[in-house]
Amino acid sequence: MNPDTYATLYGPTRPTPSRRGAGVAAAAALLWSVALFLLWGLGFLALWAEADRGPTEGLPPHWVPICLGIAAVPIGLLCTPAVRRLSIPGRLLVTGLAVCSIAVGLVVRAA
């Protein structure tokens, strides 16, 4: 008898990996990439506008609360019990949706 046959028939079961979260993870990656691209573009344009005005001494003071607010939204969402019960791809999707909506709102306001 082949030893692999014995191991297959009487050995411990090997569960197959689940692919349930693949679509959710892909949607989360898409949302995060759009959000980060929009935030990068806004930062680049804002720095360009500041450089066009002449020499500056550090970052403008109104950037600090904007950056802290953008960083606080996903952290605050991750601390809520409803989001903590989700799977990892689900958490990424929820936080990506929040950050993407903030980025789109900033782009619409800036335009």
Side-chain angles (χ1 to χ4, degrees):
M1 183 195 275
N2 188 355
D4 291 335
T5 304
Y6 183 82
T8 302
L9 291 175
Y10 302 111
T13 59
R14 288 179 247 156
T16 58
S18 175
R19 297 193 39 92
R20 282 185 14 206
V24 174
L30 179 70
L31 281 173
W32 272 102
S33 63
V34 166
L36 292 176
F37 178 73
L38 289 175
L39 291 174
W40 171 82
L42 282 174
F44 178 75
L45 290 176
L47 281 175
W48 193 344
E50 288 294 324
D52 192 34
R53 290 186 192 152
T56 59
E57 298 177 12
L59 289 176
H62 66 277
W63 283 15
V64 174
I66 291 173
C67 293
L68 288 176
I70 292 171
V73 167
I75 293 170
L77 276 174
L78 288 174
C79 292
T80 60
V83 175
R84 290 176 69 188
R85 284 190 293 257
L86 294 174
S87 65
I88 301 268
R91 292 178 198 172
L92 288 172
L93 182 67
V94 168
T95 56
L97 184 62
V99 173
C100 190
S101 64
I102 290 171
V104 168
L106 286 173
V107 166
V108 167
R109 184 174 182 265

